[in-house]
Amino acid sequence: MGVGVSELRNWLSAYDKTQITIGVVASHSSLQILHGARLEGFRTLGIAVGENRRRYYSAFPGADPDEWLMLDDYKQMLDYAEWFREQNVIIIPHGSLVEYLGSDNFKELQVPTFGNRGILHWESSRERQRQWLLEGGCMMPKVIDDPHDIDGPVIVKYAGAKGGEGYFIARDYRDFKRNVKLEEEFTIQEYVLGCRYYLHFFFDPTASDGFQVRGKKSKEGQNLGRLELLSMDRRDESNVDEFYKLGSLRDLREMSLEPSFVVTGNQSVVIRESLLPKAFEMAEGTVAESFELEEGSRGMIGPFCLETIVTDKLEFRVFEISARIVAGSNPFVGGSPYSDINEPFMSTGRRIARSIRKAIDNDDLDSILS
Ligand code: AMP
C-alpha cells in the first residue's frame, strides 16, 4: 500500500544529493516545471511517449530537458523505477501523470515523488473531497441526490470526466432525463452563478515564518507551516464561454446545442483584494484538515488549487480541489501579481524546485517527498 517513509528514506540514502535530477512527464505543466528546475540549478529529465511529444520542446530551449526517457507506454515508468533511482530522479507529479499511470499505479511508483501521494486518495473521489473541504470550513455547491428534486439550474458531472467533458446543465427533471447517460456514475450539483477563480496556493511544511497555518483537532495549537498564494487563473471552457454569442439558452436548444465545459486554456486573473482574507481562511482550513484526514496523515505538501465561484453576495463556493500543481499556473512562468510581491519570476514550478533545493541543503528531503 503506497510508499512508506522508511522506504523513501532508504532510497534517498543512496541518492547523490549533488546530482539530483527533476523528472517530469512531458505534458500539462511540464514546461514550467522544467524551466523552474533549471533556474534552481537542477538537471532535468523529460519522460515522453512518441517523438512528436519530444520534438516541440526544442522550440523552448529554456525548458528542453537535459535528458529524455522515451517510452512506448507511460505505464512502463513502473518498470523503470530502479533506473530512475540510479539517476537520482525526483518525479514531479501533475494531472497528466496521474491520468496516464492511473492513481493506483502512481501510488505504487517506486521513485521519490514531490508532495504527499497519500492525499490523492482524498482528491480522487468527489465524496471524499466534499467531506474534506466541508470539514475544512469551505462552502460548497449543494448536491441534489434525487433528480426529481431539481428545481433550478444544476450541473451534472460524470465521475471520470476529464477537463469538464460531458458535463451538462439541466433546469428541471425533463432536461436531466433528456441528457443524462444513466450507465455512468454522476453527481448533480447546484449550478452556482458567479465568477470563477482558481486559487493556486503552496503549503511549505518546513517553513516557520510567513502566514502560518494553525493546526486543529489532533494538532490544535501547533503552527503547521507556511501558506503562500502564488497565482490565480480562470479557465477557458469550450464552448460555454462563447455560447452567449448565439443567443439565449432557449434559442440554442432550438438549434439542438448544449453548453459544454471542455478546458482549452487559462487566463491570468486577480481577485478583489477584500476577498483575500476569506481565500486564506478557506485554504488554511483545508490544509489544517488535510492532517486530520486519517491517522498519521502527513497532510498537504506543496501546491494545491481551490476551484471557486464568487457569487454576487461576495461569497465563495468551492466546487473542487486539486492537491498538486494545476495547469492553470502555466500563465505565470515569469511570476504573478501575487508571487511578484515576494520574489520576481517565481512560478509554481520554480517554487517546487526551490523547496527541493532547500530540503537538500537542510538534509530534509523526506519531509517534502513521498
Ligand atoms: P470541474 O470538473 O468540477 O472542475 O468543473 C468544470 C467546470 O464546470 C468548471 O470550471 C466550471 O466552469 C463548471 N462548474 C463546475 N461546478 C460548477 C457549479 N457547481 N456551478 C457552476 N459551474 C460549475
Side-chain angles (χ1 to χ4, degrees), residues 221-240:
Q222 293 180 35
N223 281 345
L224 302 179
R226 186 171 74 208
L227 181 64
E228 302 164 24
L229 176 65
L230 291 182
S231 50
M232 222 178 268
D233 81 299
R234 176 171 308 153
R235 293 178 186 161
D236 289 330
E237 291 172 336
S238 186
N239 56 23
V240 70

Side-chain angles (χ1 to χ4, degrees), residues 334-354:
S336 87
Y338 297 108
S339 62
D340 281 354
I341 293 169
N342 299 326
E343 182 174 343
F345 305 110
M346 185 54 73
S347 67
T348 298
R350 186 176 184 186
R351 184 65 187 81
I352 291 171
R354 174 71 60 87

Side-chain angles (χ1 to χ4, degrees), residues 126 129 140-142 153-155 157-158 161-165 167 169 189-194 196 198 235 237 240-241 261-263 307-309 317-322:
R126 281 196 211 289
Q129 275 199 15
M140 298 191 71
K142 282 193 226 83
V154 295
I155 181 163
K157 304 179 174 188
Y158 292 107
K162 292 174 195 94
E165 210 177 322
Y167 290 8
I169 296 174
Q189 255 183 23
E190 161 200 15
Y191 187 90
V192 180
L193 198 54
R196 291 168 297 125
Y198 299 72
R235 293 178 186 161
E237 291 172 336
V240 70
D241 288 350
F261 296 82
V262 178
V263 179
E307 307 185 4
T308 75
I309 298 170
R317 295 286 180 278
V318 180
F319 57 90
E320 201 160 305
I321 180 169
S322 295

